[in-house]
Amino acid sequence: MHQTDFAQSLKHYQQKLSSAPDPVVDGKLTRMVGMTMEAIGCQVNIGERCIITSRNGHQATAEVVGFAHDKIYLMSTSEVEGFGPGAKVTPLGASANIKVGNGLLGRVLDGLGQPIDGLGPLEADESYPLQGQPINPLLRHPIDSPLDVGVAAIDSLLTVGRGQRMGLLAGSGVGKSVLLGMMTRFTEADVIVVGLIGERGREVKEFIENILGIEGRERSVVVAVPADNPPLMRLQGAQVATAIAESFRDKGQNVLLLMDSLTRFCQAQREIALAVGEPPATKGYPPSVFAKLPQLVERAGNAEKEGGSITAFYTVLAEGDDQQDPIVDAARAILDGHVVLSRSLADEGHYPAIDIEQSVSRAITQITHKEQQLMIRQFKRIYSTYQRNRDLISIGAYEQGSDQDIDEAIQLMPAIREFLQQDIDEKAERQNNLLKLTELLQSTTAALPGVINS
């Protein structure tokens, strides 16, 4: 055979091989350490699903989370009791997709997108990729319209825009979930998607029955993955909730995405990364955690012009009330603003315990009028003046008339506390909040002329 003929034959054979589908080759388990299983003998890619079958026929779904040479590392989405060496590993040949559509409204799903509410199978035929479809940042519609969330302190002083992503930062037991529930009931949105990720199991039913209620549940989808689920399920629960929100946004609807909590998502990724051998970097968190975090958060936001939107609120647990916790610090850097909840305010019975001084909305200048921005600055000046001199005032060391700013703060503080506090069942309309804020600041103008306009 001539050299040219051989080269053409080889090229034809390579093309034939590349066009033929890869055969599905079963592998087998060889080792399990902690939550990670090792297998050999099958060709799979990161993120693909596999079925593991034990010798007695018991099956479980697992996902490929890593590989080394001819070994692959898998993590199960369920309990792994009963599996041992030699269990068959069958690749499914595709990454995960979930069912989406209006049939999800009113349903409660697990981390795989399957119903757990006992209401039968899902009436949803559409499929959506778990990892979502990224939007060109240059094509995103800017945040240009305020969103009424029904909470006076947020609507008036930390105004949130449609398509904005906000964090609720606080330690444990300060009221993050309660504030999230208030916004669930009061916010104007076409669809509400709630992700309860890695939290207490008892809170799931309480949230659905007591916070969402019958009316709220009709336009909501709840993804519940309590703390006793494997880390892969907790990780995917956040991705499932985000993918469902994306699917509704792609249909032109305005979606409210509430996730409790972003910290549990990061902790799940930490468990997975450490289990496959990734070295810890920042306070025990491997680098992949800080790569996964923006990948999840950036999926929320506005779509292209005339499209839908995802306004997202993520709770972030500050362990030990440390605002410099690595996850808190990372979330604060990538989100469009944050609401800090103060334990000292909560201990005083001040709810919602929002720390106005430490909280910020980064889109507020694009979605509010100049007059409101001036009122916010004036309010914060008065509030901060009182907080800086609180100890002197409390022990009686301050003499009235010594400082005009402190006199003003003392006079207004009772009205400020009343304005910032709100009952859990009380909805505060945004326009009424702004009117009350205006009246509050004007009241000090009459008593202390020239202060507001100085």
Side-chain angles (χ1 to χ4, degrees):
M1 180 181 292
H2 294 293
Q3 186 71 22
T4 305
D5 294 337
F6 177 78
Q8 290 177 345
S9 299
L10 180 60
K11 183 177 180 181
H12 176 73
Y13 180 70
Q14 290 173 338
Q15 290 175 345
K16 185 177 179 181
L17 285 178
S18 63
S19 61
D22 294 332
V24 176
V25 180
D26 291 340
K28 64 178 181 179
L29 288 184
T30 58
R31 185 185 181 203
M32 180 174 179
V33 178
M35 298 169 292
T36 307
M37 295 173 283
E38 293 182 8
I40 59 172
C42 51
Q43 298 294 322
V44 288
N45 299 319
I46 296 292
E48 286 190 13
R49 295 284 180 86
C50 298
I51 295 293
I52 303 176
T53 307
S54 67
R55 290 191 298 270
N56 59 11
H58 179 60
Q59 291 188 328
T61 305
E63 183 175 306
V64 181
V65 296
F67 64 89
H69 304 292
D70 60 339
K71 296 179 182 178
I72 61 169
Y73 300 118
L74 303 115
M75 194 160 287
S76 176
T77 58
S78 58
E79 294 296 331
V80 292
E81 296 292 335
F83 291 96
K88 186 169 68 173
V89 179
T90 305
L92 295 180
S95 298
N97 290 325
I98 60 169
K99 293 182 178 180
V100 296
N102 291 332
L104 269 59
L105 296 177
R107 303 302 301 270
V108 183
L109 314 177
D110 63 10
L112 297 175
Q114 300 299 318
I116 57 173
D117 50 13
L119 300 179
L122 297 174
E123 296 179 2
D125 299 326
E126 303 174 55
S127 182
Y128 199 89
L130 185 64
Q131 299 300 328
Q133 300 172 346
I135 300 175
N136 187 328
L138 297 179
L139 299 179
R140 282 186 185 267
H141 188 69
I143 301 170
D144 56 8
S145 59
L147 180 69
D148 189 346
V149 300
V151 180
I154 296 177
D155 282 338
S156 55
L157 303 171
L158 305 166
T159 308
V160 176
R162 194 174 295 281
Q164 192 169 343
R165 299 157 305 183
M166 293 285 288
L168 301 181
L169 316 181
S172 58
V174 184
K176 298 185 302 297
S177 299
V178 174
L179 180 57
L180 205 67
M182 292 173 66
M183 291 187 289
T184 304
R185 292 195 308 274
F186 301 150
T187 302
E188 299 172 352
D190 299 323
V191 176
I192 300 172
V193 180
V194 181
L196 302 176
I197 310 300
E199 296 298 320
R200 292 176 287 272
R202 68 166 180 82
E203 292 182 340
V204 176
K205 190 171 184 179
E206 291 179 3
F207 189 94
I208 294 170
E209 294 183 354
N210 301 337
I211 296 178
L212 271 183
I214 298 175
E215 183 178 351
R217 187 172 177 180
E218 290 177 351
R219 60 186 181 118
S220 303
V221 183
V222 178
V223 179
V225 190
D228 59 346
N229 279 255
L232 187 62
M233 284 285 281
R234 284 179 267 139
L235 188 77
Q236 292 189 355
Q239 296 172 338
V240 166
T242 305
I244 292 172
E246 287 176 310
S247 70
F248 284 110
R249 178 186 62 187
D250 291 348
K251 296 179 180 178
Q253 295 180 293
N254 294 316
V255 182
L256 176 65
L257 173 62
L258 306 171
M259 192 168 296
D260 187 12
S261 72
L262 199 63
T263 303
R264 305 304 184 195
F265 169 83
C266 294
Q267 290 174 345
Q269 175 60 28
R270 176 175 64 180
E271 293 176 39
I272 294 172
L274 292 176
V276 298
E278 187 178 352
T282 307
K283 291 189 176 180
Y285 286 95
S288 63
V289 172
F290 302 100
K292 285 276 188 182
L293 190 59
Q295 289 175 6
L296 179 75
V297 170
E298 284 295 328
R299 293 168 62 180
N302 286 331
E304 299 178 14
K305 191 172 183 179
E306 307 301 333
S309 66
I310 300 177
T311 307
F313 286 90
Y314 302 94
T315 66
V316 184
L317 176 64
E319 296 186 3
D321 292 328
D322 181 13
Q323 292 297 319
Q324 304 308 315
D325 178 86
I327 299 303
V328 174
D329 194 49
R332 194 164 42 219
I334 63 177
L335 292 171
D336 301 323
H338 52 271
V339 177
V340 177
L341 301 185
S342 165
R343 186 173 299 278
S344 61
L345 288 175
D347 291 342
E348 295 173 5
H350 181 120
Y351 290 104
I354 298 175
D355 189 328
I356 297 300
E357 292 180 291
Q358 295 191 58
S359 304
V360 66
S361 171
R362 292 196 174 101
I364 198 167
T365 55
Q366 287 83 39
I367 57 178
T368 59
H369 297 296
K370 196 71 175 178
E371 293 79 6
Q372 182 181 344
Q373 295 171 29
L374 291 173
M375 287 194 297
I376 293 171
R377 287 202 292 268
Q378 182 66 12
F379 185 98
K380 285 192 171 184
R381 184 187 66 80
I382 297 171
Y383 187 86
S384 298
T385 297
Y386 184 87
Q387 295 299 330
R388 286 196 306 269
N389 297 277
R390 183 173 180 173
D391 292 341
L392 289 176
I393 298 169
S394 299
I395 64 176
Y398 174 75
E399 294 184 7
Q400 188 173 0
S402 302
D403 187 286
Q404 188 179 22
D405 288 341
I406 299 178
D407 290 344
E408 175 192 27
I410 294 173
Q411 177 199 353
L412 280 184
M413 207 57 200
I416 287 175
R417 288 197 183 100
E418 183 180 355
F419 176 77
L420 294 177
Q421 294 185 62
Q422 185 175 334
D423 190 72
I424 186 174
D425 297 318
E426 175 190 355
K427 180 179 180 179
E429 298 288 347
R430 182 171 180 273
Q431 291 302 323
N432 291 338
N433 297 335
L434 294 178
L435 182 61
K436 290 180 180 178
L437 179 62
T438 303
E439 293 174 348
L440 188 153
L441 295 176
Q442 285 177 345
S443 67
T444 189
T445 308
L448 300 169
V451 173
I452 296 293
N453 297 321
S454 60

